[in-house]
Amino acid sequence: MCPQGDPRVTVVLAVYNRARELPLAIASVFAQTTPSWELLVVDDGSTDGSRAVAERYLWHPRVRVLALETNMGLGNALQAALPHVRTPYFVTLDSDDWFAPTALAELTAAMDAGPSDAVVVSANAQHWRDVNGRLVRHHVLRGRPFSDKFDFMRYGPYLVPRFYRTEAVRRVGGFERDPHGQGRYYEDKLILLKLTSLGRFLHVDRVLYHVRLHAANLTRPEERARLNAIKKAMYERMMREWGDPYELVWKLHPEGWLDVADLVPRPSGARQDGRTH
């Protein structure tokens, strides 16, 4: 399958109605400095020809397309892809984003060199604003390592890229269709919260991912209250599953997002160590 050995990482690219942006995302996979990858495109019931765009790349032996009949949402599409991942690692790529050329090589090297209980590797992300079809450089989102699962719970921003140990994701049940987000919202936060109880999160302090900002991926203010309620329910659920050692104290971000401000020990609850990172 791969001229320099079997692939070690699968790029799982779920797409819904992104026919225009999809070629750049796929091109960034083909441009990787390591050949040790597979690409699994999951068409999540697109109606704009995204599936046809993806299928143009099936000439390559390491590209596969999984077509879902109806739109299921990102988390459910990733869960549908999970049984088809046949490499020790996989990384998700949003269909309107793209990788830096060394992303897969550096993320794989970090996981290989890390401790045996490492389950996720992230890095930094350059954001670009889409202005009338022209990409203008915006801010850089810098991730960080975490001391334990409670430290991660306090972390507000998202992590990208999300490079996973496949066996670990399967061990925690994958991307579940939870009762709050229904597998459509905050699927990334939920799987990461589940994985924090299992192993360490590593961080590569380099820009390895590029995020496209545009009107379609900037959440409308009227939706924020609903999404904040979903996030709050997810976090409270995870705290209960961890033995409820802390009470969550919330704060409202200036842009309207809900973040954890503090974790207050419960007098009657036994504090768990939780030190997995």
Side-chain angles (χ1 to χ4, degrees):
M1 299 229 6
C2 176
Q4 297 185 22
D6 290 336
R8 310 216 38 239
V9 56
T10 299
V11 176
V12 180
L13 197 169
V15 57
Y16 176 65
N17 289 350
R18 293 284 187 201
R20 188 184 72 170
E21 294 85 359
L22 186 57
L24 177 57
I26 293 177
S28 77
V29 180
F30 277 76
Q32 291 300 297
T33 57
T34 174
S36 188
W37 54 263
E38 288 190 340
L39 172 61
L40 176 58
V41 181
V42 185
D43 180 62
D44 190 17
S46 295
T47 59
D48 72 338
S50 292
R51 175 179 173 181
V53 171
E55 288 176 343
R56 293 176 195 164
Y57 298 87
L58 287 175
W59 59 268
H60 196 288
R62 283 181 275 131
V63 176
R64 292 175 288 154
V65 175
L66 174 63
L68 307 180
E69 294 301 319
T70 59
N71 178 255
M72 299 173 62
L74 180 55
N76 298 311
L78 294 176
Q79 183 66 6
L82 191 55
H84 300 274
V85 175
R86 51 196 184 190
T87 52
Y89 309 138
F90 75 95
V91 60
T92 56
L93 173 62
D94 285 357
S95 56
D96 51 350
D97 298 339
W98 64 98
F99 288 129
T102 62
L104 298 186
E106 294 194 52
L107 294 166
T108 301
M111 188 73 91
D112 285 347
S116 60
D117 66 341
V119 294
V120 174
V121 185
S122 64
N124 303 331
Q126 173 68 59
H127 287 67
W128 300 79
R129 190 168 295 281
D130 193 329
V131 180
N132 299 321
R134 184 171 63 93
L135 291 171
V136 178
R137 191 182 296 270
H138 205 259
H139 68 285
V140 172
L141 173 65
R142 300 192 181 278
R144 65 173 178 84
F146 304 96
S147 59
D148 58 35
K149 61 189 179 185
F150 301 113
D151 184 26
F152 176 75
M153 187 170 264
R154 293 185 181 96
Y155 181 73
Y158 56 88
L159 290 184
V160 283
R162 295 180 292 278
F163 185 96
Y164 300 101
R165 190 181 298 276
T166 306
E167 181 273 334
V169 174
R170 288 178 173 149
R171 203 189 318 171
V172 299
F175 302 85
E176 67 179 271
R177 187 182 180 89
D178 68 288
H180 308 293
Q182 295 294 313
R184 289 183 175 272
Y185 306 102
Y186 288 123
E187 82 294 329
D188 56 335
K189 291 287 191 182
L190 183 55
I191 189 65
L192 292 173
L193 285 167
K194 291 163 65 175
L195 286 168
T196 56
S197 293
L198 197 61
R200 300 173 190 258
F201 285 18
L202 309 180
H203 180 255
V204 177
D205 192 17
R206 283 173 45 78
V207 171
L208 298 180
Y209 194 88
H210 295 270
V211 177
R212 184 194 304 257
L213 301 174
H214 49 73
N217 68 3
L218 294 176
T219 306
R220 296 188 298 273
E222 58 268 25
E223 293 183 344
R224 290 179 185 172
R226 180 172 64 90
L227 294 176
N228 284 342
I230 292 171
K231 179 178 179 179
K232 187 172 185 288
M234 281 184 176
Y235 277 52
E236 289 175 346
R237 165 204 157 178
M238 293 307 303
M239 187 62 77
R240 287 193 300 271
E241 291 187 6
W242 296 345
D244 224 13
Y246 296 102
E247 178 183 356
L248 289 159
V249 179
W250 296 93
K251 64 180 177 182
L252 204 60
H253 188 275
E255 294 182 358
W257 300 111
L258 198 64
D259 287 329
V260 174
D262 198 6
L263 300 177
V264 178
R266 295 184 183 275
S268 60
R271 177 185 291 270
Q272 294 182 356
D273 181 9
R275 193 172 185 83
T276 59
H277 298 49

